Amino acid sequence: MLPAQPNQSLIDGLEVLLGAVDAAEPVGVRELARRLGLETTRTQRLLGTLAHLGLLHRTDNGRYGPGTGLHVLAAAATAANGLLAKALPELDRLQRATKMTVALGSLWRDRVVYLAVFAKDRDPLTAVGASRSYPIQRSSIGVLLLGWQEPGYAAAHGIAPALETQGASARRRGWSLIDQPTEQTRSLAVPIGDPPRLAIGLSGSFSDARIADLRDQATAVAARLASQDIP
Amino acid sequence: MLPAQPNQSLIDGLEVLLGAVDAAEPVGVRELARRLGLETTRTQRLLGTLAHLGLLHRTDNGRYGPGTGLHVLAAAATAANGLLAKALPELDRLQRATKMTVALGSLWRDRVVYLAVFAKDRDPLTAVGASRSYPIQRSSIGVLLLGWQEPGYAAAHGIAPALETQGASARRRGWSLIDQPTEQTRSLAVPIGDPPRLAIGLSGSFSDARIADLRDQATAVAARLASQDIP
DNA sequence: CAGCACTGTGGCTTTTATAGCAACAGGCGG
DNA sequence: CCGCCTGTTGCTATAAAAGCCACAGTGCTG
């Protein structure tokens, strides 16, 4: 729901911000402008402004990567709604109970971003911020959340219509399942809240007989998180 | 270091974003405009744009609070530089070794923002995002990091000159100490990186004789984090 | 119930901030 | 040294943004 007069500079500035943050390495002005299809000078000014604000960090060789101000912003957000403080212990328990890899993720464009990932044999304190984003088509979380996006979302972000259909199907069912035959793993996801902007995913090797139990356990966690007014 | 032509809309939009996130409750347009000294319609358009992007969440009664997109942005940033995945286990160990409350914090305006706080008898998984920001003058982290701000920072943010002096002194010493006599606790902080944008703080009851040991332990952790190229 | 004081939002016009083009300086490799 | 890339800036035209006003809605009080 855009306001009648949106602020296009803000929109573009935040697009530049995410483009720089999402890059695997600190990125140069011209390279980022090419990737985003923006004019170079404009990109440079937006990057410079963001760096001045501390949201990006300018390296000695003139490239831009995430800055401390982003963490500050995130900390303020997380403190305001208590999302992680509530979710992390729950997800850790779910991982221990199911022995699956447990993830909390959200959809951004055509990718899934992981807020936290709990895995067997991995320190739970490394769950936050250790996983890079992932193409949507390989993610039960992504496919599921796609089901709630407004019409045109898929087309606008280069997502195949077949995935959109899968998303709609998952929405009707209320959960999603993705098989990865080459890796002999599968993953299922359940939504948090309504409309859901976050989802819990479980992945590993599990039989068809176990699906309902895993789904129900994850759904119970999702319900507890949703009932705490998490956006 | 501002670019020659900074983008003022981006600056103001991000100011509005932080103003909304920093509020204790979802905040209305006019109230936020009053707090920030901005014109109402402008504020409303910026808020609406941010809500459309998912960075803010618009409640049913027309107020704005943090949205899921902020967490997505934070997750991308954290994944890009691995800050939390590296810092959290280290800080947890430091808390167990010292029996102090251990915090990772940064400076924003005249306040300290806590990225993580580890305390005795508290689940480490609740360390992230469970603490609200704090006035700078009561925080060893804040005073310490103030020492590295550019001239005019204190004046621009309504921080007393005495605190600025304290900050400069802490910078020269390389760490800071704050006593809270009414609570019979004290806290000390050491910087991470150079110039530091983050700091580790230890707080609790400890004697003068123990200061050097605590400081050295925290300094060792800070050095390990700084050596991993964290901004 | 009516009035009042607040609220969020949009339309229209003016203003000014922004965008784009061209230029410059620097770095790197052949 | 030259060519090709880089990040950055100045200047001017333009279009995006800002501000004012109005409207509809909500909640509280008498």
Side-chain angles (χ1 to χ4, degrees):
Chain A
M1 179 89 65
L2 265 179
Q5 187 182 304
N7 192 300
Q8 196 62 43
S9 275
L10 182 53
I11 291 169
D12 295 338
L14 290 168
E15 170 139 14
V16 165
L17 176 59
L18 203 80
V21 169
D22 208 30
E25 303 280 341
V27 68
V29 173
R30 291 192 184 231
E31 174 59 29
L32 186 58
R34 273 194 296 271
R35 284 188 204 161
L36 300 179
L38 299 176
E39 197 269 330
T40 303
T41 307
R42 184 156 180 248
T43 305
Q44 182 259 327
R45 289 173 174 148
L46 292 172
L47 285 169
T49 300
L50 291 163
H52 176 68
L53 294 173
L55 297 183
L56 290 179
H57 169 61
R58 184 179 182 276
T59 65
D60 289 342
N61 59 0
R63 292 163 169 267
Y64 294 86
T68 311
L70 261 185
H71 298 298
V72 170
L73 186 52
T78 309
N81 65 21
L83 170 64
L84 289 186
K86 290 165 196 158
L88 296 183
E90 292 268 7
L91 296 171
D92 184 41
R93 279 197 292 272
L94 184 58
Q95 192 279 318
R96 289 166 196 277
T98 61
K99 303 298 192 291
M100 297 288 115
T101 297
V102 174
L104 176 66
S106 189
L107 188 55
W108 176 260
R109 302 289 175 89
D110 63 339
R111 299 187 75 84
V112 175
V113 176
Y114 294 101
L115 275 62
V117 179
F118 290 84
K120 193 174 88 137
D121 296 329
R122 177 162 150 177
D123 182 355
L125 282 175
T126 64
V128 180
S131 303
R132 309 282 331 210
S133 64
Y134 210 68
I136 184 174
Q137 59 269 20
R138 306 193 65 192
S139 161
S140 55
I141 288 175
V143 168
L144 178 69
L145 293 178
L146 187 59
W148 273 273
Q149 301 311 307
E150 59 199 23
Y153 182 95
H157 297 102
I159 298 167
L163 265 192
E164 196 175 25
T165 305
Q166 250 181 295
S169 170
R171 176 178 178 169
R172 283 195 297 274
R173 189 164 60 167
W175 54 283
S176 65
L177 183 71
I178 297 261
D179 282 299
Q180 309 276 10
T182 59
E183 294 155 42
Q184 296 188 325
T185 62
R186 59 208 309 197
S187 71
L188 74 78
V190 297
I192 301 178
D194 184 16
R197 297 190 195 88
L198 293 170
I200 296 173
L202 300 181
S203 63
S205 285
F206 50 93
S207 62
D208 287 354
R210 209 169 161 218
I211 288 177
D213 177 50
L214 292 177
R215 182 199 67 216
D216 290 348
Q217 287 190 66
T219 299
V221 172
R224 283 200 289 280
L225 294 181
S227 70
Q228 304 189 8
D229 200 28
I230 293 174
Chain B
M1 176 91 67
L2 266 178
Q5 186 181 305
N7 192 300
Q8 196 62 43
S9 275
L10 182 54
I11 291 169
D12 294 339
L14 291 168
E15 169 136 16
V16 164
L17 176 59
L18 204 80
V21 168
D22 209 31
E25 303 281 339
V27 66
V29 173
R30 291 189 186 231
E31 173 58 30
L32 185 60
R34 274 195 296 272
R35 284 188 203 164
L36 300 179
L38 298 177
E39 197 268 331
T40 302
T41 307
R42 185 161 177 242
T43 305
Q44 181 258 328
R45 288 170 179 152
L46 292 171
L47 285 170
T49 300
L50 291 163
H52 176 69
L53 294 174
L55 297 183
L56 291 179
H57 169 60
R58 186 180 180 281
T59 64
D60 290 342
N61 60 359
R63 290 159 172 267
Y64 294 85
T68 310
L70 261 183
H71 299 297
V72 169
L73 187 51
T78 310
N81 65 21
L83 170 63
L84 288 186
K86 290 165 195 157
L88 295 183
E90 292 269 7
L91 296 170
D92 185 42
R93 278 196 293 272
L94 184 59
Q95 193 279 318
R96 289 168 195 276
T98 60
K99 304 298 192 291
M100 296 288 114
T101 296
V102 174
L104 176 66
S106 190
L107 188 56
W108 177 261
R109 303 285 176 89
D110 64 339
R111 298 186 75 84
V112 176
V113 175
Y114 295 102
L115 274 62
V117 179
F118 291 85
K120 195 173 85 137
D121 297 328
R122 176 162 151 176
D123 183 354
L125 282 175
T126 64
V128 179
S131 302
R132 310 286 325 210
S133 63
Y134 211 66
I136 186 177
Q137 58 270 21
R138 307 194 63 194
S139 161
S140 55
I141 289 176
V143 168
L144 178 69
L145 293 177
L146 187 59
W148 272 273
Q149 302 310 310
E150 59 200 22
Y153 181 96
H157 296 103
I159 297 167
L163 264 191
E164 196 176 23
T165 306
Q166 248 181 298
S169 168
R171 176 177 178 171
R172 282 193 298 274
R173 189 162 60 166
W175 53 283
S176 66
L177 183 72
I178 297 262
D179 282 298
Q180 309 276 11
T182 58
E183 294 155 40
Q184 297 188 324
T185 62
R186 58 205 314 193
S187 71
L188 75 77
V190 298
I192 301 177
D194 184 14
R197 298 193 193 85
L198 294 169
I200 296 174
L202 301 180
S203 64
S205 285
F206 50 92
S207 63
D208 287 354
R210 206 165 165 223
I211 290 177
D213 177 50
L214 292 176
R215 182 199 66 215
D216 291 348
Q217 286 190 66
T219 299
V221 172
R224 282 200 290 282
L225 295 180
S227 70
Q228 302 187 11
D229 199 28
I230 292 173

